[in-house]
Amino acid sequence: MTAPLIVTALLGVADFAWVDGLRRAHFPPGRNQVPAHITLFRHLPPSVLPELKGRLKRLAAGSSPPTRIVGVLNLGNGVAFHIESQRLMEMRDDLAEAFTGLLIPQDQARPRLHITIQNKASPTEARALHQAMGVQFMGKRLAIDGLAVWHYRGGPWELAVKAMFRG
């Protein structure tokens, strides 16, 4: 069976530990199957993996993109950090252009970058967490250490490629 590919930005070690800890604390038990991440693409065909690997390695030859939390989003059934990174979006745009015609509708649109902290919770739980988090994290810088490609097989993701920033 061929598995679609997911492309994410990888958080730095300290930021990952902090955000993933929030995820573990606020996801309903048994619902958190993947670690904290910033999704760039949700569903690329597995046939692009060799080309995608080369493109990620070229993108990662440069420096880490400046990235920060600019808000806390209420997702209805969860909460996420709203992420801003012009350079990360430029990298994503380069990949989107390279794979034009292969993108699902959701990946054709420019995403609102985010890190989900809570999902699959009740609207009441989501509102309470959103209010509790408020604006306390706005402006916090995040380290982005690399880019990754994952196979999605219906459960936890399987790492296919990791490209760490070198600049």
Side-chain angles (χ1 to χ4, degrees):
M1 175 176 135
T2 58
L5 304 174
I6 298 168
V7 181
T8 67
L10 299 171
L11 297 167
V13 174
D15 288 330
F16 172 79
W18 170 63
V19 174
D20 201 57
L22 289 172
R23 249 177 102 84
R24 286 192 313 273
H26 296 292
F27 256 74
R31 295 290 190 121
N32 188 13
Q33 294 192 26
V34 298
H37 60 279
I38 300 171
T39 302
L40 302 178
F41 292 94
R42 297 178 176 279
H43 189 285
L44 291 173
S47 61
V48 305
L49 185 58
E51 182 180 353
L52 184 57
K53 181 178 181 179
R55 288 182 180 279
L56 290 189
K57 291 196 181 291
R58 283 190 292 280
L59 290 171
S63 59
S64 173
T67 304
R68 63 192 179 102
I69 297 171
V70 294
V72 180
L73 304 170
N74 184 335
L75 304 175
N77 290 323
V79 173
F81 287 137
H82 183 192
I83 304 301
E84 185 177 88
S85 176
Q86 180 179 339
R87 181 65 189 126
L88 190 56
M89 285 301 290
E90 290 168 357
M91 291 177 185
R92 191 226 175 259
D93 290 345
D94 287 347
L95 292 171
E97 185 176 323
F99 297 113
T100 298
L102 299 174
L103 302 179
I104 63 170
Q106 194 171 15
D107 284 337
Q108 289 172 14
R110 288 188 99 215
R112 177 172 59 176
L113 297 178
H114 65 280
I115 302 171
T116 304
I117 300 300
Q118 178 190 58
N119 200 4
K120 299 175 175 68
S122 74
T124 302
E125 290 171 310
R127 274 192 306 277
L129 181 59
H130 181 258
Q131 289 175 346
M133 294 181 94
V135 295
Q136 61 185 319
F137 302 113
M138 288 183 63
K140 180 178 175 16
R141 293 175 189 244
L142 292 175
I144 303 296
D145 282 357
L147 303 170
V149 179
W150 308 85
H151 294 285
Y152 176 68
R153 301 186 197 283
W157 300 347
E158 176 188 321
L159 183 64
V161 174
K162 185 188 294 188
M164 304 307 281
F165 289 107
R166 293 184 276 162

